[in-house]
Structure formats: structure tokens, C-alpha cells
């Protein structure tokens, strides 16, 4: 199984942390983007400390890939007096029209003060934060109608801050993705790796696939059984993770000489299909009640 002490803290992420602190005074609000499939694991505890009392809009991105029931629970979980939470899918554009109303609601008193001074229509300034590969650049490009923010399907692409103007009256300060020095809970590191927030070469691919098998047999056994023709979903809980990986590989015909199962190929396939939502809408985090 993967190590309990996954480490991921390149020097540029320490620099980003300093940049966040230095630039908070230049913005009215912080927009924090989370992955709706892992709303707890994709929330950087460092950001919560850094932004202090600044109003925040939490965007659960990739919401169309996540479990609808869990989406509702997490929207409630992250909504408070000083923060709002909305569901968005940056690729399809779903939910983007909720962003400006949410910002105006959170900054209602500040906007009213501006208007009382005759500053009606004054542009607002927002810092956009999130872990690598969570969809920050895609969101910014959708709102700006341009390709100003670099977009690549790999973590750690944006390395420097940049201001981007949008058509909704809000200027966005795009910051590099920032992870944190140590994942105290190994589940967090595993979930980040499963969804591609951490580079695949940081963990053994077969071990990661076994983690995924374990998550799925407990959270979504019906989806797993249906997709890979595994029979009775209730029986999956009794199968060891490695055996389950082998069974899926066998069902898919991933065999090599002598009838041995190619578990590495099976692991690659499982992670590809997870990230492409081939099994259905899945949320790997759960709110503890």
C-alpha cells in the first residue's frame, strides 16, 4: 500500500505561500476552487490559515463528475456567514453564472459603501486559489473569454501570479497551485493522487489502483460490479484489494504469457476510467457526522 507520508512541497509552492500573504491586501475576496470529487482532500489547510478573515467563495469544480447527493451535503458544509459555496463545471460552463451573484452577496456591505460614495460599478478584485490541476486556469479562461491562463492537464503548471480581467466586473489574481508540506492523513494524499492532483510517478500505480478498488467496493460497489462485470456487489467487500485488481484485469482480458494477469495495465485502465468518470458520478470524501 502507499506510504503514509506522501511528501510534495517543491520550492515554488513555498514561494506561492508568501505571495498569497503579500497580495491579500490587494483583493476584496478569495475564490477557492476545490475538486467536487474530493471536497475535503482538495482543500489546503494552509489556505484557510493564510486568508484569515477575508470573505471567500468556495467553488466545487467538476461537480458534474461528483455524486449529486454528496454535492448537496458539501455545499451546506462549506456555506457560512463569511463564505458561500457553489457547484460549477468549468469545462461545460455549468454554474458559472452563479459566481458573480455569490460574490456580490458576500461583498454586499462593501459594495453598498462604494455606492454611497458614488463609486457605482467599481470593479472588484478576487484572488483565485486551489491545489494543482483543480481547474483554476480553465475557470479563469471561461470568465475572461480568453486563453490568458495556461491550461495543461498536469499539476504544477502555473508558476507565477497574473492579473486577468473578466467581463463580469471582477479582476482575478491567478495564483500558482499550492499543496502543503505534509499530508497528516494518508487518505488525503491517496485521494489527491487518485484524481491526478499529484503527479502519477510519485506513487506506485498498482498500489494506487488497489486503494481505488478499496474505496469503490465500500462506497460504490454497484458501480464497480456493473462496470467490470464482477457479479454480486455485496460480495466485493470480502475480496482483498489485490485480488479485486486481478479479477478486474482478468475480466478485461489483460493477460500476458502463461495466463498471468497484467496488473499494471489493469491499474492504468482503472485510474484512466476513474478520471474520465466512466463508472458514473463519484465522490471519494465523506463528511463525518
Amino acid at each position: 500500500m502507499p506510504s503514509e507520508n506522501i511528501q510534495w512541497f517543491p520550492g515554488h509552492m513555498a514561494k506561492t505561500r508568501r505571495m498569497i500573504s503579500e497580495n491579500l491586501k490587494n483583493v476584496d475576496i478569495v475564490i477557492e476552487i476545490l475538486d467536487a470529487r474530493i471536497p475535503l482532500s482538495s482543500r489546503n489547510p494552509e489556505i484557510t490559515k493564510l486568508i484569515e478573515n477575508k470573505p471567500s467563495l468556495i467553488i466545487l469544480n467538476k461537480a458534474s463528475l461528483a455524486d449529486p447527493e454528496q454535492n448537496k451535503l458539501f455545499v451546506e458544509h462549506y456555506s457560512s456567514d463569511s463564505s458561500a459555496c457553489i457547484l460549477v463545471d468549468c469545462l461545460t460552463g455549468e454554474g458559472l453564472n452563479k459566481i458573480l451573484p455569490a460574490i456580490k452577496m458576500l461583498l454586499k456591505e462593501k459594495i453598498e459603501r462604494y455606492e454611497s460614495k458614488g463609486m457605482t460599478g467599481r470593479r472588484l478584485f478576487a484572488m483565485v486559489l486551489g491545489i494543482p490541476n483543480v481547474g483554476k486556469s480553465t475557470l479563469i479562461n471561461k470568465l475572461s473569454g480568453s486563453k490568458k491562463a495556461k491550461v495543461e492537464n498536469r499539476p504544477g503548471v502555473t508558476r507565477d501570479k497574473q492579473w486577468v480581467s473578466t467581463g463580469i466586473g471582477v479582476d482575478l489574481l491567478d495564483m500558482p497551485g499550492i499543496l502543503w508540506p505534509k499530508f497528516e492523513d494518508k487518505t488525503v494524499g491517496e485521494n489527491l493522487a487518485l484524481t491526478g492532483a499529484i503527479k502519477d510517478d510519485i506513487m506506485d500505480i498498482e498500489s494506487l489502483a488497489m486503494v481505488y478498488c478499496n474505496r469503490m467496493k465500500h462506497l460504490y460497489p454497484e458501480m464497480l460490479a456493473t462496470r467490470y462485470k464482477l457479479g454480486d456487489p455485496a460480495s466485493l467487500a470480502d475480496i482483498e484489494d489485490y485480488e479485486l485488481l486481478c479479477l478486474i484485469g482478468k475480466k478485461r482480458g489483460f493477460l500476458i504469457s502463461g495466463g498471468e494477469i497484467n496488473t499494471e495495465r489493469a491499474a492504468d485502465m482503472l485510474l484512466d476510467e476513474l478520471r474520465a468518470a466512466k463508472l458514473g458520478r463519484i465522490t471519494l470524501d465523506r463528511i463525518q457526522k
Side-chain angles (χ1 to χ4, degrees):
M1 295 292 289
S3 165
E4 293 190 12
N5 296 308
I6 301 168
Q7 302 296 315
W8 178 262
F9 201 55
H12 76 269
M13 291 190 179
K15 175 186 172 185
T16 300
R17 193 164 56 174
R18 291 194 298 272
M19 286 167 55
I20 291 171
S21 296
E22 291 166 2
N23 285 277
L24 272 174
K25 63 182 181 295
N26 300 322
V27 300
D28 302 299
I29 190 170
V30 170
I31 298 176
E32 184 179 0
I33 306 178
L34 308 181
D35 186 328
R37 298 167 299 173
I38 52 169
L40 298 177
S41 299
S42 58
R43 191 169 203 204
N44 185 342
E46 296 266 319
I47 289 176
T48 308
K49 298 173 189 173
L50 287 170
I51 66 173
E52 298 174 333
N53 299 319
K54 189 73 71 170
S56 65
L57 172 61
I58 297 169
I59 292 178
L60 297 181
N61 187 30
K62 308 181 185 179
S64 65
L65 304 181
D67 185 327
E69 289 302 314
Q70 293 300 316
N71 280 346
K72 293 176 187 175
L73 292 173
F74 278 104
V75 166
E76 293 174 8
H77 178 71
Y78 282 130
S79 298
S80 68
D81 291 340
S82 61
S83 67
C85 181
I86 60 174
L87 300 171
V88 168
D89 193 301
C90 293
L91 290 178
T92 66
E94 182 182 353
L96 290 176
N97 61 345
K98 300 176 185 175
I99 293 176
L100 183 57
I103 290 175
K104 286 185 172 180
M105 179 194 72
L106 289 167
L107 298 179
K108 185 174 183 292
E109 292 182 6
K110 176 176 275 193
I111 292 170
E112 287 175 351
R113 287 200 301 272
Y114 287 148
E115 291 176 346
S116 70
K117 298 175 183 177
M119 302 168 67
T120 302
R122 179 189 182 278
R123 294 190 72 80
L124 300 170
F125 300 95
M127 179 184 290
V128 185
L129 300 175
I131 64 171
N133 210 32
V134 78
K136 283 192 303 91
S137 296
T138 304
L139 174 73
I140 289 167
N141 290 336
K142 284 281 187 181
L143 294 177
S144 66
S146 70
K147 298 284 186 181
K148 290 184 179 179
K150 185 181 286 188
V151 178
E152 288 187 35
N153 189 26
R154 62 185 177 88
V157 174
T158 305
R159 291 293 178 93
D160 296 300
K161 69 176 183 178
Q162 55 180 334
W163 280 104
V164 180
S165 182
T166 74
I168 64 172
V170 182
D171 286 351
L172 305 175
L173 179 56
D174 181 21
M175 304 292 281
I178 177 175
L179 284 172
W180 48 108
K182 182 180 180 181
F183 306 132
E184 299 295 344
D185 181 351
K186 73 170 186 174
T187 301
V188 170
E190 291 166 353
N191 285 346
L192 290 169
L194 284 168
T195 54
I198 297 175
K199 294 176 182 177
D200 282 338
D201 58 9
I202 205 168
M203 293 179 67
D204 174 73
I205 198 76
E206 288 161 284
S207 295
L208 188 56
M210 287 162 57
V211 168
Y212 176 52
C213 286
N214 184 276
R215 297 272 198 284
M216 290 299 293
K217 73 184 183 183
H218 290 109
L219 295 176
Y220 299 101
E222 295 84 2
M223 284 187 188
L224 193 65
T226 300
R227 179 71 184 175
Y228 302 113
K229 300 178 173 60
L230 302 176
D232 180 13
S235 68
L236 299 183
D238 298 324
I239 302 176
E240 293 293 330
D241 299 337
Y242 181 72
E243 292 177 25
L244 190 51
L245 175 62
C246 290
L247 179 59
I248 291 169
K250 185 177 180 180
K251 290 285 185 179
R252 282 295 175 96
F254 295 157
L255 304 176
I256 51 182
S257 58
E260 186 179 346
I261 297 165
N262 188 335
T263 51
E264 185 175 353
R265 187 179 172 197
D268 281 330
M269 178 274 298
L270 277 170
L271 296 181
D272 285 345
E273 295 204 345
L274 160 65
R275 293 165 187 172
K278 291 291 181 67
L279 282 80
R281 300 178 64 171
I282 293 165
T283 301
L284 298 176
D285 278 329
R286 289 292 183 275
I287 298 170
Q288 298 298 321
K289 296 181 179 180

